[in-house]
Amino acid sequence: VRVCVRCRPLNSKEISDGREKIIKIDPRAGTCALILPDRVTGEPPKNFTFDQAYDETISQETIYQQTAARIVDSVLEGFNGTIFAYGQTGTGKTFTMEGVNDPPELKGIIPRAFGQIFDAIATRGGEQTEYLVRASYLEIYNEEIRDLLSKNSTNRLEIKDSQDSGVYVRDLTSYVVKSTRECDKLRDFGAKNRHTGATA
């Protein structure tokens, strides 16, 4: 398990409200220091150390190569892998994981993973090796699991454990996909069913 932190820049509302940046990231040391303004308190900075720490200047490509690409490589070798973003509403989870399609350099972890998977299949697949790719899209929000690809996305799902298949989500929709385009279509469909909290 590796834990990375990414700090987003101040947004336009925070800037217009006169907010100040109180986080100092040291990418080389993997540290994040919380520094309260002097007028608030004389407390010393609170320091936190992670496997990796990124400030607001880091590119989507760098985030992907340093945090996710190795996990996707392991999945292609047959190991289970998980990448997830955790944090409050408005902290940049969706941008990090999904990004935007245009310009391409702003794509997030999910579409970059699709590309890596299907590029690897194109070069490794053949007579000796066959790949079967299935895609599901779920959301955990307020401790409830929802299937974002289901026609009835309000249904609550449950996590189960099986001796044969391990941990799984019962009744989760799964589609066989053969290209990044098919994955993108499922992602776009599922994104419409996501909860979105009020940033304010």
Side-chain angles (χ1 to χ4, degrees):
V1 174
R2 297 174 68 241
V3 180
C4 306
V5 65
R6 183 183 199 186
C7 185
R8 67 159 173 78
L10 293 174
N11 62 35
S12 57
K13 183 177 184 324
E14 291 162 341
I15 292 169
S16 68
D17 288 348
R19 304 295 174 106
E20 298 176 40
K21 181 179 171 183
I22 62 167
I23 301 291
K24 183 175 181 185
I25 302 286
D26 182 344
R28 289 186 179 161
T31 59
C32 176
L34 176 62
I35 305 166
L36 295 177
D38 290 336
R39 68 176 186 278
V40 176
T41 178
E43 269 188 61
K46 292 187 175 159
N47 293 295
F48 303 91
T49 302
F50 300 91
D51 293 300
Q52 290 179 259
Y54 301 103
D55 64 17
E56 66 273 10
T57 64
I58 200 75
S59 71
Q60 294 280 71
E61 173 69 16
T62 301
I63 289 281
Y64 185 76
Q65 291 303 325
Q66 293 184 2
T67 64
R70 287 178 282 181
I71 296 170
V72 175
D73 278 336
S74 293
V75 168
L76 290 162
E77 296 299 324
F79 296 95
N80 288 328
T82 301
I83 303 165
F84 72 92
Y86 177 83
Q88 287 179 239
T89 297
T91 55
K93 300 180 302 296
T94 300
F95 179 72
T96 297
M97 295 302 286
E98 295 185 12
V100 294
N101 290 331
D102 196 31
E105 58 267 18
L106 294 183
K107 286 185 177 183
I109 287 174
I110 294 169
R112 288 175 190 273
F114 296 159
Q116 183 179 348
I117 288 166
F118 287 103
D119 287 349
I121 289 171
T123 57
R124 298 181 195 177
E127 293 180 16
Q128 299 295 323
T129 308
E130 289 186 18
Y131 290 91
L132 176 64
V133 180
R134 294 183 191 271
S136 298
Y137 195 1
L138 65 83
E139 171 185 70
I140 303 172
Y141 185 83
N142 286 341
E143 299 183 17
E144 292 183 345
I145 302 169
R146 295 183 329 120
D147 183 350
L148 298 179
L149 298 180
S150 171
K151 290 177 182 162
N152 186 0
S153 63
T154 59
N155 285 350
R156 306 294 180 249
L157 304 179
E158 297 177 344
I159 295 177
K160 296 293 182 182
D161 196 358
S162 160
Q163 285 185 333
D164 298 330
S165 58
V167 177
Y168 68 100
V169 177
R170 186 169 63 186
D171 299 328
L172 181 65
T173 304
S174 177
Y175 290 94
V176 173
V177 288
K178 297 179 181 177
S179 68
T180 56
R181 181 175 291 159
E182 289 181 14
C183 291
D184 287 338
K185 283 182 182 177
L186 290 176
R187 183 172 55 102
D188 291 345
F189 176 81
K192 293 174 188 170
N193 293 324
R194 288 182 55 230
H195 274 101
T196 52
T199 302

